[in-house]
Amino acid sequence: MNTAPKDILTANDLKQTKPRLLVLEQIMGRDAAVSQPDLEKKLGGEVDRVTLYRTLSTFEEKGILHKIIDGAGTANFAICHSNCTSHHHHDEHLHFNCTQCKKVYCLDIKIPSTTIPKNFTMESIQLMASGICENCNIKS
Amino acid sequence: MNTAPKDILTANDLKQTKPRLLVLEQIMGRDAAVSQPDLEKKLGGEVDRVTLYRTLSTFEEKGILHKIIDGAGTANFAICHSNCTSHHHHDEHLHFNCTQCKKVYCLDIKIPSTTIPKNFTMESIQLMASGICENCNIKS
DNA sequence: TTAAGTGCAAAATCTTTGCAAATGT
DNA sequence: ACATTTGCAAAGATTTTGCACTTAA
């Protein structure tokens, strides 16, 4: 079910504009989540920085993209594969943040169920590991 | 072993200055981690904003404070209770970020051991839940 | 045609850097 | 006395807002 960028836009009542298509292409053709600074570099010549901010937050609200804040506080974006409805993401797998290349990987490992103290209500949970990813391990 | 602010400074070869003592007092008298914006508000009249930045990063480098980036990308600080040495924190317990009051709690629950794919090297791991904390649950 | 979306300029924040004055030891 | 640390000013970076122009439907 690898939906094409244009179909994603259609399915979400969004117009087919160049910035939106470019952003989706960038993010979909990856093994890892893409950081916002990275997107700015790649799309710098084609998409205005402000438009990028607005595009990303639209996509997040619609549940098209999933925003992951890494350990350095940088925003990273990945396609939502799980059953996300708008404003309510279920993306509860392990994220891995490489300290060398800065990539954030969405690994296919479920977060172990965790009990929290009574009186706390849990809405979501995120597990973020950091270290060296496979690519950087090979290179060194 | 509730060490006094001044003893913490002594133990880390830091001079006893007003900003440092005030920051430590703010952070130690809490059940939850304190966000940087919160610290700015509380200490606004007494400590320069730039000094606060520098103080917090000094404390983090020394292993006195532990920095936690919450889901919104905001920095939160808590005392390191575990055996932290400079530049190498072991703070692997569950953090809980209240979406209502924005507090970050350090809960005394260990992160379940997690296996990552071969070729990835894990250096640290962080588990962050969000939802409603006990205080906010009572109020509503 | 027209509502939605973009791009630019400009404001509002947040974070870092440089340096002279103040302070702890 | 002297190395540290602070506070201010100012540069740099990030994020948001307003508005006129453009474009997809």
Side-chain angles (χ1 to χ4, degrees):
Chain A
M1 60 150 279
N2 223 331
T3 322
K6 66 189 182 84
D7 297 329
I8 294 178
L9 295 180
T10 309
N12 285 279
D13 289 307
L14 295 171
K15 291 186 179 169
Q16 314 267 334
T17 68
K18 198 173 130 198
R20 284 173 181 166
L21 292 167
L22 289 171
V23 168
L24 284 178
E25 279 160 23
Q26 276 300 319
I27 294 178
M28 290 175 79
R30 300 284 192 110
D31 53 339
V34 192
S35 73
Q36 186 158 355
D38 250 42
L39 285 171
E40 279 171 24
K41 274 169 220 146
K42 303 275 179 189
L43 302 175
E46 326 210 40
V47 180
D48 185 76
R49 199 212 261 260
V50 175
T51 302
L52 182 56
Y53 273 99
R54 290 194 271 226
T55 301
L56 291 171
S57 59
T58 303
F59 285 175
E60 201 201 350
E61 280 162 23
K62 291 282 186 175
I64 299 171
L65 292 184
H66 176 229
K67 181 183 193 172
I68 306 149
I69 302 288
D70 67 23
T74 305
N76 290 259
F77 295 87
I79 291 282
C80 276
H81 288 295
S82 12
N83 20 338
C84 293
T85 52
S86 300
H87 301 284
H88 194 182
H89 292 204
H90 293 286
D91 196 48
E92 312 204 329
H93 52 256
L94 175 61
H95 290 134
F96 187 92
N97 188 194
C98 179
T99 51
Q100 204 154 104
C101 68
K102 312 293 182 203
K103 276 189 189 169
V104 175
Y105 293 81
C106 295
L107 300 180
D108 197 14
I109 293 171
K110 263 190 63 185
I111 297 179
S113 74
T114 308
T115 36
I116 55 169
K118 56 234 147 280
N119 304 329
F120 283 72
T121 312
M122 181 158 75
E123 282 162 2
S124 68
I125 188 160
Q126 218 211 343
L127 184 60
M128 170 81 74
S130 43
I132 309 293
C133 76
E134 48 185 0
N135 285 324
C136 294
N137 260 331
I138 290 165
K139 286 173 196 157
S140 53
Chain B
M1 57 149 277
N2 223 330
T3 322
K6 66 188 182 89
D7 297 329
I8 294 178
L9 295 180
T10 310
N12 285 278
D13 290 307
L14 294 171
K15 290 186 179 168
Q16 315 268 334
T17 68
K18 199 173 130 195
R20 286 174 179 164
L21 291 167
L22 288 170
V23 168
L24 285 178
E25 279 161 24
Q26 277 300 319
I27 294 179
M28 292 177 77
R30 300 281 193 113
D31 53 340
V34 191
S35 73
Q36 187 158 354
D38 250 42
L39 285 171
E40 279 172 23
K41 274 169 220 145
K42 302 278 179 185
L43 302 175
E46 327 211 39
V47 180
D48 184 75
R49 199 213 261 260
V50 174
T51 301
L52 182 57
Y53 272 100
R54 290 194 272 226
T55 301
L56 291 171
S57 58
T58 302
F59 285 175
E60 200 201 353
E61 280 162 24
K62 292 282 187 175
I64 298 170
L65 292 184
H66 177 228
K67 181 183 191 170
I68 307 149
I69 304 287
D70 67 24
T74 306
N76 289 259
F77 295 87
I79 290 281
C80 276
H81 287 296
S82 9
N83 20 338
C84 293
T85 51
S86 301
H87 301 283
H88 193 183
H89 291 205
H90 294 285
D91 197 47
E92 312 205 329
H93 52 256
L94 175 62
H95 290 135
F96 187 93
N97 189 195
C98 180
T99 52
Q100 204 155 104
C101 67
K102 311 295 183 201
K103 275 188 190 170
V104 174
Y105 292 81
C106 295
L107 299 180
D108 197 12
I109 293 171
K110 263 189 66 184
I111 297 179
S113 74
T114 309
T115 36
I116 54 170
K118 56 235 143 280
N119 305 329
F120 282 72
T121 312
M122 181 158 74
E123 283 164 1
S124 68
I125 188 161
Q126 217 211 343
L127 183 60
M128 170 82 74
S130 45
I132 307 293
C133 76
E134 48 183 0
N135 285 324
C136 295
N137 260 330
I138 291 166
K139 287 174 195 156
S140 54

Coordinates of all heavy atoms in Angstrom, one line a residue, chain A residues 69-74 94 96 99 105 107 109-135 137, chain B residues 69-74 94 96 99 105 107 109-135 137:
Chain A
I69 N 10.3 14.6 17.8 CA 11.3 15.5 18.3 C 12.5 14.7 18.8 O 12.3 13.8 19.7 CB 10.8 16.3 19.5 CG1 9.6 17.1 19.1 CG2 11.9 17.3 20.0 CD1 9.8 18.3 18.2
D70 N 13.7 14.9 18.3 CA 14.8 14.0 18.7 C 15.5 14.6 19.9 O 15.0 15.6 20.5 CB 15.8 13.8 17.6 CG 16.5 15.0 17.1 OD1 16.6 16.0 18.0 OD2 17.0 15.1 16.0
G71 N 16.5 13.9 20.4 CA 17.1 14.3 21.7 C 17.7 15.7 21.7 O 17.9 16.3 22.7
A72 N 17.9 16.2 20.5 CA 18.5 17.6 20.4 C 17.4 18.6 20.3 O 17.7 19.8 20.2 CB 19.5 17.7 19.2
G73 N 16.2 18.2 20.2 CA 15.0 19.1 20.1 C 14.7 19.5 18.7 O 13.8 20.3 18.4
T74 N 15.3 18.8 17.7 CA 15.0 19.0 16.3 C 13.8 18.2 15.9 O 13.7 17.0 16.2 CB 16.2 18.6 15.5 OG1 17.4 19.3 16.0 CG2 16.0 18.9 14.0
L94 N 9.8 1.8 18.3 CA 11.1 2.4 18.7 C 11.6 3.3 17.6 O 11.7 3.0 16.5 CB 12.0 1.2 18.9 CG 13.5 1.5 19.2 CD1 13.6 2.3 20.5 CD2 14.3 0.3 19.4
F96 N 15.1 5.5 16.6 CA 16.5 5.4 16.8 C 17.2 6.7 16.2 O 17.1 6.9 15.0 CB 17.1 4.2 16.2 CG 18.6 4.0 16.6 CD1 18.9 3.3 17.7 CD2 19.6 4.6 15.8 CE1 20.3 3.1 18.0 CE2 20.9 4.4 16.1 CZ 21.3 3.7 17.3
T99 N 23.7 9.5 16.4 CA 24.4 10.7 16.9 C 25.4 11.1 15.9 O 25.9 12.2 16.0 CB 25.1 10.4 18.2 OG1 25.9 9.2 18.1 CG2 24.1 10.1 19.4
Y105 N 15.5 6.9 12.7 CA 14.9 5.7 12.1 C 13.7 5.3 12.9 O 13.6 5.3 14.1 CB 15.9 4.5 12.2 CG 17.2 4.7 11.3 CD1 18.2 5.5 11.8 CD2 17.3 4.1 10.1 CE1 19.4 5.7 11.0 CE2 18.4 4.3 9.3 CZ 19.4 5.1 9.8 OH 20.6 5.2 9.0
L107 N 12.1 2.2 13.7 CA 12.3 0.7 13.7 C 11.0 0.0 14.0 O 10.2 0.4 14.8 CB 13.4 0.4 14.7 CG 14.7 1.0 14.5 CD1 15.8 0.6 15.6 CD2 15.3 0.7 13.1
I109 N 9.9 -2.1 16.0 CA 10.0 -2.8 17.3 C 8.9 -2.1 18.2 O 9.0 -0.9 18.4 CB 11.4 -2.7 17.9 CG1 12.4 -3.5 17.0 CG2 11.4 -3.2 19.3 CD1 13.8 -3.3 17.4
K110 N 8.0 -2.9 18.7 CA 7.0 -2.3 19.5 C 7.5 -1.9 20.9 O 8.4 -2.5 21.5 CB 5.8 -3.3 19.7 CG 4.7 -3.0 18.7 CD 3.4 -3.8 19.1 CE 2.8 -3.4 20.4 NZ 1.7 -4.3 20.8
I111 N 6.9 -0.8 21.4 CA 7.3 -0.4 22.7 C 6.7 -1.4 23.8 O 5.5 -1.6 23.7 CB 6.8 1.0 23.0 CG1 7.5 2.0 22.0 CG2 7.0 1.4 24.4 CD1 7.1 3.4 22.2
P112 N 7.5 -1.9 24.7 CA 6.9 -2.8 25.7 C 5.9 -2.1 26.5 O 6.0 -0.9 26.8 CB 8.1 -3.2 26.5 CG 9.3 -2.6 25.9 CD 8.9 -1.6 24.9
S113 N 4.8 -2.8 26.9 CA 3.8 -2.2 27.6 C 4.3 -1.8 29.0 O 5.1 -2.5 29.6 CB 2.6 -3.1 27.8 OG 2.8 -4.1 28.7
T114 N 3.9 -0.6 29.4 CA 4.5 0.0 30.6 C 3.3 0.4 31.5 O 2.4 1.0 31.1 CB 5.2 1.3 30.1 OG1 6.1 0.9 29.1 CG2 6.0 1.9 31.3
T115 N 3.5 0.2 32.8 CA 2.5 0.6 33.7 C 2.9 1.9 34.4 O 4.1 2.1 34.7 CB 2.3 -0.4 34.9 OG1 3.6 -1.0 35.2 CG2 1.3 -1.5 34.4
I116 N 2.0 2.8 34.5 CA 2.3 4.1 35.2 C 1.6 4.2 36.4 O 0.6 3.4 36.7 CB 2.0 5.3 34.2 CG1 0.6 5.2 33.8 CG2 2.9 5.3 33.0 CD1 0.1 6.5 33.1
P117 N 2.0 5.1 37.3 CA 1.3 5.2 38.6 C -0.2 5.5 38.5 O -0.6 6.2 37.6 CB 2.0 6.3 39.3 CG 3.4 6.4 38.6 CD 3.1 6.0 37.2
K118 N -0.9 4.9 39.4 CA -2.4 5.3 39.5 C -2.5 6.8 39.5 O -1.5 7.5 39.9 CB -2.9 4.7 40.8 CG -2.2 5.2 42.0 CD -1.7 4.0 42.9 CE -0.4 4.4 43.6 NZ 0.9 4.2 42.8
N119 N -3.5 7.3 39.0 CA -3.8 8.8 39.0 C -3.1 9.5 37.8 O -3.4 10.7 37.6 CB -3.4 9.5 40.3 CG -4.0 8.9 41.5 OD1 -5.2 8.4 41.4 ND2 -3.4 8.9 42.6
F120 N -2.2 8.8 37.2 CA -1.6 9.3 35.9 C -2.4 8.7 34.8 O -2.7 7.5 34.8 CB -0.2 9.0 35.8 CG 0.8 9.8 36.6 CD1 0.8 9.7 38.0 CD2 1.6 10.8 36.0 CE1 1.7 10.5 38.7 CE2 2.4 11.6 36.7 CZ 2.5 11.4 38.1
T121 N -2.8 9.5 33.8 CA -3.5 8.9 32.6 C -2.6 9.0 31.4 O -2.1 10.1 31.1 CB -4.8 9.7 32.3 OG1 -5.5 9.9 33.5 CG2 -5.6 9.0 31.3
M122 N -2.3 7.9 30.8 CA -1.3 7.9 29.7 C -2.1 8.1 28.4 O -3.0 7.4 28.1 CB -0.5 6.7 29.7 CG 0.5 6.6 28.6 SD 1.9 5.5 28.9 CE 1.1 3.9 28.7
E123 N -1.6 9.0 27.6 CA -2.3 9.2 26.3 C -1.4 8.6 25.1 O -1.8 8.1 24.1 CB -2.6 10.7 26.0 CG -3.8 11.1 26.7 CD -3.9 12.6 26.9 OE1 -3.0 13.3 26.4 OE2 -4.8 13.1 27.5
S124 N -0.1 8.8 25.3 CA 0.8 8.3 24.3 C 2.2 8.0 24.9 O 2.5 8.5 26.0 CB 1.0 9.3 23.1 OG 1.7 10.4 23.6
I125 N 3.0 7.3 24.2 CA 4.3 7.0 24.7 C 5.3 6.9 23.6 O 5.0 6.5 22.5 CB 4.2 5.7 25.6 CG1 5.6 5.4 26.3 CG2 3.9 4.5 24.7 CD1 5.4 4.5 27.5
Q126 N 6.5 7.3 23.9 CA 7.5 7.3 22.9 C 8.9 6.8 23.4 O 9.3 7.2 24.5 CB 7.8 8.8 22.4 CG 8.0 8.9 20.9 CD 8.9 10.1 20.6 OE1 9.1 10.9 21.4 NE2 9.5 10.1 19.4
L127 N 9.5 5.9 22.6 CA 10.7 5.3 23.1 C 11.8 5.7 22.0 O 11.7 5.4 20.9 CB 10.6 3.8 23.1 CG 11.8 3.0 23.6 CD1 12.2 3.4 25.0 CD2 11.5 1.5 23.6
M128 N 12.8 6.4 22.5 CA 13.8 6.9 21.6 C 15.2 6.5 22.0 O 15.6 6.8 23.1 CB 13.8 8.5 21.6 CG 14.9 9.2 20.9 SD 14.7 9.3 19.1 CE 13.4 10.5 19.0
A129 N 15.8 5.7 21.2 CA 17.2 5.3 21.5 C 18.1 6.1 20.7 O 17.8 6.7 19.7 CB 17.4 3.8 21.1
S130 N 19.4 6.3 21.2 CA 20.3 6.9 20.4 C 21.7 6.2 20.4 O 21.9 5.5 21.4 CB 20.5 8.4 20.7 OG 20.6 8.7 22.0
G131 N 22.4 6.4 19.4 CA 23.7 5.7 19.2 C 24.1 5.8 17.8 O 23.9 6.8 17.2
I132 N 24.8 4.7 17.3 CA 25.3 4.8 15.9 C 24.5 3.8 15.1 O 24.3 2.7 15.4 CB 26.8 4.3 15.9 CG1 27.6 5.0 16.9 CG2 27.3 4.4 14.5 CD1 27.8 6.5 16.6
C133 N 24.0 4.3 13.9 CA 23.2 3.5 13.1 C 24.0 2.6 12.2 O 25.2 2.7 12.2 CB 22.3 4.4 12.2 SG 23.2 5.1 10.8
E134 N 23.3 1.7 11.5 CA 24.1 0.7 10.7 C 25.0 1.3 9.6 O 26.1 0.9 9.5 CB 23.1 -0.3 10.1 CG 21.9 0.3 9.3 CD 21.0 -0.8 8.8 OE1 21.2 -2.0 9.0 OE2 19.9 -0.5 8.2
N135 N 24.5 2.3 9.0 CA 25.3 3.0 7.9 C 26.6 3.5 8.5 O 27.7 3.3 8.0 CB 24.6 4.1 7.2 CG 23.5 3.5 6.2 OD1 23.8 2.5 5.6 ND2 22.4 4.1 6.2
N137 N 28.0 2.8 11.3 CA 28.8 1.7 11.8 C 29.7 1.1 10.7 O 30.9 0.7 11.0 CB 28.0 0.6 12.4 CG 27.9 0.7 13.9 OD1 28.8 1.2 14.6 ND2 26.8 0.3 14.5
Chain B
I69 N 14.4 16.7 26.8 CA 13.6 17.4 25.8 C 12.2 16.8 25.7 O 12.1 15.6 25.5 CB 14.3 17.3 24.4 CG1 15.7 17.8 24.4 CG2 13.5 18.0 23.3 CD1 15.9 19.3 24.5
D70 N 11.2 17.6 26.0 CA 9.9 17.0 25.9 C 9.3 16.9 24.5 O 9.9 17.4 23.6 CB 8.9 17.7 26.9 CG 8.6 19.1 26.5 OD1 8.7 19.4 25.3 OD2 8.3 19.9 27.4
G71 N 8.1 16.4 24.4 CA 7.5 16.2 23.1 C 7.3 17.5 22.3 O 7.2 17.4 21.1
A72 N 7.3 18.6 23.0 CA 7.2 19.9 22.2 C 8.5 20.5 21.9 O 8.6 21.6 21.3 CB 6.4 20.9 23.1
G73 N 9.6 19.8 22.3 CA 10.9 20.3 22.0 C 11.5 21.3 23.0 O 12.5 21.9 22.8
T74 N 10.8 21.4 24.1 CA 11.2 22.3 25.2 C 12.2 21.6 26.1 O 12.0 20.4 26.5 CB 10.0 22.8 26.0 OG1 9.0 23.3 25.1 CG2 10.4 23.8 27.1
L94 N 11.4 6.1 33.3 CA 10.3 6.7 32.6 C 10.1 8.2 32.9 O 10.1 8.6 34.0 CB 9.0 5.9 32.9 CG 7.7 6.4 32.4 CD1 7.7 6.4 30.8 CD2 6.6 5.5 32.9
F96 N 7.4 11.4 32.3 CA 6.0 11.6 32.0 C 5.8 13.1 31.8 O 6.0 13.9 32.6 CB 5.1 11.1 33.1 CG 3.7 11.2 32.8 CD1 3.0 10.0 32.3 CD2 2.9 12.3 33.0 CE1 1.7 10.1 32.0 CE2 1.6 12.4 32.7 CZ 1.0 11.2 32.2
T99 N 0.3 16.9 29.5 CA -0.1 17.8 28.4 C -0.9 19.0 28.9 O -1.1 20.0 28.2 CB -1.0 17.0 27.4 OG1 -2.1 16.4 28.1 CG2 -0.2 16.0 26.7
Y105 N 7.7 14.7 34.7 CA 8.0 14.0 35.9 C 9.0 12.9 35.6 O 9.0 12.3 34.6 CB 6.7 13.3 36.4 CG 5.6 14.2 36.9 CD1 4.8 14.8 36.0 CD2 5.5 14.4 38.3 CE1 3.8 15.7 36.5 CE2 4.5 15.3 38.7 CZ 3.7 15.9 37.8 OH 2.7 16.8 38.3
L107 N 9.7 9.5 36.7 CA 9.0 8.4 37.5 C 10.0 7.3 37.8 O 10.9 7.1 37.0 CB 7.8 7.9 36.8 CG 6.7 8.9 36.5 CD1 5.6 8.3 35.7 CD2 6.2 9.5 37.8
I109 N 10.4 4.3 37.4 CA 10.1 3.1 36.7 C 11.2 2.9 35.6 O 11.4 3.7 34.8 CB 8.7 3.2 36.0 CG1 7.6 3.3 37.0 CG2 8.5 2.1 35.0 CD1 6.3 3.6 36.5
K110 N 11.8 1.7 35.7 CA 12.9 1.5 34.8 C 12.4 1.2 33.4 O 11.4 0.6 33.2 CB 13.8 0.3 35.2 CG 15.0 0.7 36.0 CD 16.0 -0.5 36.3 CE 16.6 -1.0 35.0 NZ 17.4 -2.2 35.2
I111 N 13.2 1.6 32.4 CA 12.9 1.3 31.0 C 13.2 -0.2 30.7 O 14.2 -0.7 31.0 CB 13.7 2.2 30.1 CG1 13.4 3.7 30.3 CG2 13.5 1.8 28.6 CD1 14.2 4.6 29.4
P112 N 12.2 -0.9 30.2 CA 12.4 -2.3 29.9 C 13.5 -2.5 28.9 O 13.7 -1.6 28.0 CB 11.0 -2.7 29.2 CG 10.1 -1.6 29.4 CD 10.9 -0.4 29.8
S113 N 14.3 -3.5 29.1 CA 15.4 -3.7 28.2 C 14.9 -4.0 26.8 O 13.9 -4.7 26.6 CB 16.3 -4.8 28.7 OG 15.7 -6.1 28.4
T114 N 15.6 -3.4 25.8 CA 15.1 -3.4 24.5 C 16.2 -3.9 23.5 O 17.3 -3.4 23.7 CB 14.7 -1.9 24.1 OG1 13.9 -1.4 25.1 CG2 14.0 -1.9 22.7
T115 N 15.9 -4.7 22.6 CA 16.9 -5.2 21.7 C 16.7 -4.4 20.4 O 15.6 -4.1 19.9 CB 16.7 -6.6 21.3 OG1 15.3 -7.0 21.3 CG2 17.4 -7.5 22.3
I116 N 17.8 -4.0 19.8 CA 17.8 -3.2 18.6 C 18.5 -4.1 17.5 O 19.2 -5.0 17.8 CB 18.5 -1.9 18.7 CG1 19.9 -2.1 19.3 CG2 17.8 -0.9 19.6 CD1 20.8 -0.8 19.2
P117 N 18.2 -3.7 16.3 CA 18.8 -4.5 15.2 C 20.3 -4.6 15.2 O 20.9 -3.7 15.7 CB 18.4 -3.8 13.9 CG 17.2 -3.0 14.3 CD 17.4 -2.6 15.8
K118 N 20.8 -5.7 14.8 CA 22.3 -5.9 14.7 C 22.8 -4.7 13.8 O 22.0 -4.2 13.0 CB 22.6 -7.2 14.0 CG 21.9 -7.4 12.6 CD 21.0 -8.6 12.5 CE 19.8 -8.4 11.6 NZ 18.7 -7.8 12.4
N119 N 24.0 -4.3 14.1 CA 24.6 -3.2 13.3 C 24.2 -1.8 13.8 O 24.8 -0.9 13.4 CB 24.3 -3.3 11.8 CG 24.7 -4.6 11.2 OD1 25.6 -5.2 11.6 ND2 23.9 -5.0 10.2
F120 N 23.2 -1.8 14.7 CA 23.0 -0.6 15.4 C 23.6 -0.7 16.7 O 23.6 -1.7 17.4 CB 21.5 -0.3 15.6 CG 20.7 0.1 14.4 CD1 20.5 -0.7 13.3 CD2 20.3 1.4 14.3 CE1 19.8 -0.3 12.2 CE2 19.6 1.9 13.2 CZ 19.4 1.1 12.1
T121 N 24.3 0.4 17.2 CA 24.9 0.4 18.5 C 24.1 1.4 19.4 O 24.1 2.6 19.1 CB 26.4 0.9 18.4 OG1 27.0 0.2 17.4 CG2 27.1 0.6 19.7
M122 N 23.6 0.9 20.5 CA 22.8 1.8 21.3 C 23.7 2.5 22.4 O 24.4 1.8 23.1 CB 21.7 1.0 22.0 CG 20.8 1.9 22.8 SD 19.2 1.2 23.0 CE 19.5 -0.1 24.2
E123 N 23.6 3.7 22.5 CA 24.3 4.4 23.6 C 23.4 4.9 24.7 O 23.8 4.9 25.9 CB 25.0 5.7 23.0 CG 26.3 5.3 22.2 CD 26.8 6.4 21.3 OE1 26.1 7.5 21.3 OE2 27.8 6.2 20.6
S124 N 22.2 5.3 24.4 CA 21.3 5.6 25.5 C 19.9 5.5 25.0 O 19.6 5.3 23.8 CB 21.5 7.1 25.9 OG 21.1 7.9 24.9
I125 N 19.0 5.5 25.9 CA 17.6 5.3 25.5 C 16.7 6.1 26.5 O 17.0 6.3 27.6 CB 17.2 3.8 25.6 CG1 15.8 3.5 25.0 CG2 17.3 3.2 27.0 CD1 15.6 2.1 24.6
Q126 N 15.6 6.6 25.9 CA 14.7 7.4 26.7 C 13.3 7.0 26.4 O 12.9 6.9 25.3 CB 14.9 8.9 26.2 CG 14.8 9.9 27.4 CD 14.3 11.2 26.9 OE1 14.2 11.5 25.8 NE2 13.8 12.0 27.9
L127 N 12.5 6.9 27.5 CA 11.1 6.6 27.4 C 10.2 7.7 27.9 O 10.4 8.1 29.1 CB 10.8 5.3 28.1 CG 9.4 4.7 28.1 CD1 9.0 4.3 26.7 CD2 9.3 3.5 29.0
M128 N 9.4 8.3 27.0 CA 8.7 9.5 27.4 C 7.2 9.2 27.2 O 6.7 9.0 26.0 CB 9.1 10.7 26.6 CG 8.3 11.9 26.7 SD 8.6 12.9 28.2 CE 10.2 13.6 27.7
A129 N 6.4 9.2 28.3 CA 5.0 9.1 28.1 C 4.3 10.5 28.2 O 4.9 11.4 28.8 CB 4.4 8.2 29.2
S130 N 3.2 10.6 27.6 CA 2.5 11.9 27.9 C 1.0 11.6 28.2 O 0.5 10.6 27.8 CB 2.7 12.9 26.8 OG 2.6 12.4 25.6
G131 N 0.4 12.6 28.8 CA -1.0 12.4 29.2 C -1.3 13.4 30.3 O -0.7 14.5 30.3
I132 N -2.1 13.0 31.3 CA -2.5 13.9 32.4 C -1.9 13.4 33.7 O -2.0 12.2 34.0 CB -4.0 13.9 32.5 CG1 -4.7 14.2 31.2 CG2 -4.5 14.9 33.5 CD1 -4.5 15.6 30.6
C133 N -1.3 14.3 34.4 CA -0.6 13.9 35.6 C -1.6 13.8 36.8 O -2.7 14.3 36.7 CB 0.6 14.8 35.9 SG 0.0 16.4 36.6
E134 N -1.1 13.4 37.9 CA -2.0 13.2 39.0 C -2.7 14.5 39.5 O -3.9 14.5 39.8 CB -1.3 12.5 40.2 CG 0.0 13.0 40.6 CD 0.7 12.2 41.7 OE1 0.1 11.2 42.2 OE2 1.8 12.6 42.1
N135 N -1.9 15.6 39.6 CA -2.4 16.8 40.0 C -3.5 17.3 39.1 O -4.6 17.7 39.6 CB -1.3 17.9 40.1 CG -0.4 17.7 41.3 OD1 -0.9 17.3 42.3 ND2 0.9 18.0 41.1
N137 N -5.3 15.5 37.1 CA -6.4 14.6 37.2 C -7.3 14.9 38.3 O -8.6 14.9 38.2 CB -5.9 13.2 37.3 CG -5.9 12.4 36.0 OD1 -6.8 12.7 35.1 ND2 -5.0 11.5 35.8

